Amino acid sequence: MFDYDPVLYSRYLTELTLAFHIIFATIGVGVPVMIALAEWTGIRRNDRYYSLLARRWARGFVITVAIGVVTGTAIGLQLSLLWPSFMEIAGQAIALPLFMETFAFFVEAIFLGIYLYTWDRFKPKKHLMLLIPVAIGASASAFFITTVNAFMNTPQGFTLENGVITNVDPLAAMFNPSTPTKVSHVLASAYMTSAFILAAIAAFSLLRGKGDRLYAKKALKLTMTAGLVFALATAAIGDLSGKFLAEYQPEKLAAAEWHFETQEKAPLLFGGILTEDNEVKYAIKIPYALSILAGGTPGYEVKGLDQIDDELEPPLYVHYFFDGMVAIGSFTILAALVYLWMSRRKRAAKPLPRWLLRTIVACGPLSMLGIWLGWFYAEVGRQPWILRGYMKVADAATTSMHVDKMLLLFCLLYLILAFTAVKVLSKLFRNNDVADELIAFGVLEKRGPLK
Amino acid sequence: MSIELLGITVLWIFLFGYLIVASIDFGAGFFSYYSVITGNKNITHRIIERYLSPVWEVTNVFLIFFYIGLVGFFPETARYYGTALLVPGSIALILLAFRGSYYAFSTYGSKDNKWYMLIYGATGLLIPAALSTVLAISEGGIILENAGTITLDWSALFGSVYTWSVVLLAIVSVLYISAMFLSYYAHKARDEAAFEIVRGYALFWSIPTILASVLAFFAISKHNPEHFANMLDLSWMFVLSFLFFLIAVYSVWKKRNLGLAFVAVILQFGFAFFGYGASHLPYILYPYISIHENFTNQTMGAALVTAFIAGLLILVPSLVLLMRLFLFDASYVQGKSDKKG
């Protein structure tokens, strides 16, 4: 079907592993924060419902952590197996954040083990304290690994002379111009996505009408409120990212916006399709919006693709990724606002309408899709570079003849893992009824549970 | 001590840490599955699970730490090993992925699923076999460089007696180390029935372990005579290793001082492992990568060492806390205090 090309297959395999890993990595970063929120609320309000929430989330969380760990190990080693020449430079210039990421991961692993097995060995407050290193460790490893990715977008902190790296400044490499917006966008969107996924679970159980309603309603309130806060933060940082791109990676922004000619008062295009001779059709045009996104004022001059060498131009289909990500972000903010308004007005009276619950269920997978689209945009948008301005993807890939076979093997692995994970997770929650657990917890009386 | 020697020593210590904790973990997974098919599940499975559950994730980090540190301190290892090891590395990764996730599925999800246990029990023996081949590769003659192209010579890899002796040694050591640890743990838990079973495993696997060690010695003298000569210069380390082996096995035989016996196991492997490592120097990959010529730039080397010291300040107290809560807490070990929520 395809001619064998190690560069292409290395890209596919890396994409596949990252796309699979990112699901569990996002959950791994965001869910500990949500568990901590639930436990803390439970202690503060002396409400055992929230404590049970924390316990049940933690139980499912372990399964996802396991897959996150193994796929994280896979991508870590694949970096060397598939991109050996890149890793040689990375080892010279950015080994520091890679190294520190493993320390953060160590701390998270140790305290997660302790947290999971000491529910009744410590007082609730002390037990909650154990989650702090877990959450910090998870977010810190996201921080460090994202600085590595930021470095690939805006490399600095070294000089390259005839293929030899000199004058290395590890901190400058780590805190490159991309780092602030990238790290904060990654963290906020991970918290947001985890909140919406947990909200989707609560909304789903309300829709099915099984389990304890009060429990699910409390879960929904907590997750949707947190989801709104994190989604707003994600959007605000997204705006800053636009300004960053305009200054440091204009080709990425221009490709996302199909912005061909450098101009002031640039309009923003939403949706639409691109014809063969690069004409945009059916797009919604918002006047001045791109200049405002890129520079803060309508008069800002946005660099167009006319200023970029043809062979250094990113693929133009990234427009769809960008629009999809923004659309999903806006949609979830809207859904969360509607939910808060509806649940306030009809407080304790009528149950929430089914269409709203269905919308909230959709928000979970949609946010994850948003994460994917965002990463695809960020990564494909810097083609053809692996280190922007220094090393092209084609020069970094392995020369091995077997990448295609490995791609098949890993495909198979992820399919099996995904299948079993879904099976195990759904079984886990089916076999542990909330009402039974509330009784065991001493919150509800036996028989006639509160509705 | 030069900074590159410090770097490789740190990495070797972490690899040794991985060797010990992973052996316990891999072997325990196998024994766990074995106990299910032989109908002893009720006796040994619980004690194994009680130890493994809180620490499985930590085990994995030791390996990642070693790998990231290796690329960080010696970036050229990425190009040589990375290019040559695509296939064996991917296979090891797939095995690790299966084991890690099916451990979690089996422990936290479907408790009585025999298939899940089979997958994590079987991969527990295949992973050390796969990983240990890297030791053989590092001896040279298997990764070849011709005009800038790096290739792995499969027939040299599988045709070498040394490869097979290392694989054999890895598998039997995993079972031996694990059984020795479980004997200590079961004894501490005052679980007589479990202790009798795992003690049997420990004594049974001690003989193949020592035979495989001798075989590996013989094989390396053929494969890399230069390395073997260096090993002879450090022969006192291997003699000490053998003495600790005798102490460990004798204590378990006599059912006395089980804690000390396990310390002796650590020392037995420690002396052999560090003796092997020290005599391998200065090469990381014979004859292409040596610690002196292929060390990272000085700035990064210093930054990594600083980060390492700062990291240890967090890591050591955390590990001590973990061990005090689950390894040295009598009521937890005996299963009196609670399990997970």
Side-chain angles (χ1 to χ4, degrees), chain B residues 54-109:
Chain B
V55 300
W56 63 271
E57 216 195 340
V58 181
T59 307
N60 226 334
V61 193
F62 274 94
L63 179 65
I64 300 176
F65 189 97
F66 170 76
Y67 151 74
I68 294 287
L70 187 68
V71 175
F73 280 107
F74 308 98
E76 271 167 85
T77 53
R79 194 155 55 85
Y80 280 91
Y81 282 114
T83 308
L85 294 184
L86 177 71
V87 175
S90 297
I91 292 172
L93 275 178
I94 287 171
L95 291 173
L96 276 169
F98 269 124
R99 191 189 143 77
S101 32
Y102 278 83
Y103 174 74
F105 297 156
S106 164
T107 311
Y108 304 102

Side-chain angles (χ1 to χ4, degrees), chain A residues 58 101 105 112 182 185 227 244 275 287 317 341 358 430 451:
Chain A
E101 198 237 345
F105 182 29
L112 184 65
K182 215 165 196 134
H185 198 62
F244 155 79
T275 60
Y317 61 82
W341 184 68
R358 285 204 191 97
R430 262 205 318 276
K451 285 273 165 162

Side-chain angles (χ1 to χ4, degrees), chain A residues 4-15 82-83 383 392-400 403:
Chain A
Y4 179 79
D5 173 7
V7 181
L8 201 65
Y9 284 110
S10 295
R11 281 185 59 193
Y12 289 152
L13 180 48
T14 310
E15 277 164 20
L82 298 173
W83 312 100
Q383 288 299 318
K392 287 194 184 164
V393 170
D395 304 322
T398 177
T399 46
S400 170
V403 190

Side-chain angles (χ1 to χ4, degrees), chain A residues 16 406-417, chain B residues 98:
Chain A
L16 176 74
M406 297 305 114
L407 177 64
L408 272 180
L409 272 182
F410 277 96
C411 253
L412 205 64
L413 168 76
Y414 299 142
L415 277 176
I416 296 172
L417 286 190
Chain B
F98 269 124

Side-chain angles (χ1 to χ4, degrees), chain A residues 243-319:
Chain A
K243 294 178 175 48
F244 155 79
L245 284 180
E247 193 176 344
Y248 290 94
Q249 282 183 302
E251 74 279 8
K252 195 191 262 187
L253 187 67
E257 280 305 323
W258 291 341
H259 182 63
F260 296 102
E261 282 163 35
T262 304
Q263 65 179 99
E264 293 174 6
K265 300 176 187 167
L268 187 100
L269 300 178
F270 186 81
I273 54 164
L274 199 64
T275 60
E276 299 229 332
D277 38 349
N278 276 355
E279 260 182 72
V280 182
K281 277 190 178 169
Y282 314 119
I284 304 170
K285 207 171 185 176
I286 311 167
Y288 309 118
L290 183 58
S291 283
I292 296 175
L293 174 74
T297 59
Y300 186 83
E301 186 185 79
V302 187
K303 258 190 202 165
L305 289 169
D306 52 354
Q307 296 203 7
I308 312 294
D309 278 349
D310 279 356
E311 70 267 24
L312 299 183
E313 202 174 86
L316 293 174
Y317 61 82
V318 293
H319 176 72

Side-chain angles (χ1 to χ4, degrees), chain B residues 22 30 41 51 86 126 136 147-148 171 175 182 201 212 226 307 309 315:
Chain B
F30 178 78
K41 185 180 179 194
Y51 161 74
L86 177 71
L126 294 174
I171 294 175
L175 295 170
L182 290 173
Y201 296 159
E226 191 183 329
I309 292 167
L315 194 60

Side-chain angles (χ1 to χ4, degrees), chain A residues 163-213:
Chain A
V164 181
I165 283 193
T166 45
N167 296 329
V168 175
D169 178 354
L171 288 179
M174 205 171 138
F175 293 98
N176 58 74
S178 232
T179 297
T181 42
K182 215 165 196 134
V183 166
S184 47
H185 198 62
V186 162
L187 288 178
S189 60
Y191 301 149
M192 164 196 149
T193 304
S194 303
F196 282 126
I197 286 175
L198 296 173
I201 297 173
F204 183 72
S205 59
L206 276 176
L207 264 179
R208 285 216 323 190
K210 280 191 177 174
D212 185 88
R213 288 195 73 82

